[in-house]
């Protein structure tokens, strides 16, 4: 028996493919929707959550994460909240962002503004659907029924 034939041969059938390693390093926030998803994934609490919800995403480059904070909300930008937000984002982005705050109101909307806008849209849709229901119309016309202001709510709320 030769030395070459004595060495064990690897069994190809037992070799399992390795899962690809996914690196978060270098991930960039593409747009406001990506920003909102990222903020939601961080499960922030307290003042840090309020800060993140009121930031308007502007851009994310290799150099910095550019955001805007609406006038009147500057008090949310505390050192502690910024540090906690940076730490939470670092877990998702692979590194803590370098912040650049744009002056004045940005063209986009904050998560807080989006939530309120979407809630107002759902409320308007619920009111329209209720008031345009044929049975409600019949009750209003035939019996003088009136809708109590602010009594209509979207079904899922």
């Amino acid at each position: 028996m030769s030395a070459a034939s004595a060495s064990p041969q690897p069994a190809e059938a037992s070799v399992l493919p390795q899962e690809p390693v996914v690196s978060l390093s270098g991930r960039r926030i593409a747009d406001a929707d990506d920003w909102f998803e990222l903020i939601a994934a961080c499960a922030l609490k307290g003042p840090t959550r309020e800060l993140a919800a009121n930031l308007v995403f502007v851009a994310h480059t290799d150099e910095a994460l550019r955001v805007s904070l609406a006038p009147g909300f500057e008090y949310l930008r505390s050192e502690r909240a910024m540090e906690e937000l940076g730490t939470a984002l670092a877990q998702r982005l692979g590194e803590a962002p370098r912040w650049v705050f744009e002056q004045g109101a940005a063209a986009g909307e904050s998560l807080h503004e989006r939530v309120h806008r979407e809630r107002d849209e759902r409320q308007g849709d619920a009111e329209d659907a209720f008031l345009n229901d044929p049975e409600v119309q019949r009750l209003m016309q035939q019996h003088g029924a009136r809708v109590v202001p602010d009594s209509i709510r979207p079904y899922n709320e």
Side-chain angles (χ1 to χ4, degrees), residues 115-136:
V115 166
H116 283 283
R117 178 182 52 79
E118 289 174 348
R119 185 176 50 220
D120 290 346
E121 288 172 358
R122 286 190 309 273
Q123 179 66 32
D125 292 345
E127 290 173 2
D128 289 345
F130 183 80
L131 293 172
N132 290 321
D133 182 88
E135 189 63 23
V136 172

Side-chain angles (χ1 to χ4, degrees), residues 24 33 48 53 88 90-91 101 105 142-143 148 154:
L24 295 176
D33 289 332
T48 306
Q91 293 174 358
F101 280 81
Q142 292 179 356
H143 301 288
V148 175

Side-chain angles (χ1 to χ4, degrees), residues 65-123:
L65 175 57
R66 303 176 76 80
V67 294
S68 176
L69 191 58
F73 290 98
E74 293 89 2
Y75 70 94
L76 294 171
R77 191 177 157 189
S78 70
E79 185 176 322
R80 181 175 179 192
M82 291 300 299
E83 182 179 315
E84 288 177 3
L85 181 55
T87 300
L89 291 174
Q91 293 174 358
R92 302 283 191 269
L93 299 174
E95 62 187 8
R98 187 177 73 78
W99 298 96
V100 173
F101 280 81
E102 301 281 323
Q103 296 298 320
E109 65 184 348
S110 67
L111 179 59
H112 182 75
E113 292 167 334
R114 178 177 278 191
V115 166
H116 283 283
R117 178 182 52 79
E118 289 174 348
R119 185 176 50 220
D120 290 346
E121 288 172 358
R122 286 190 309 273
Q123 179 66 32

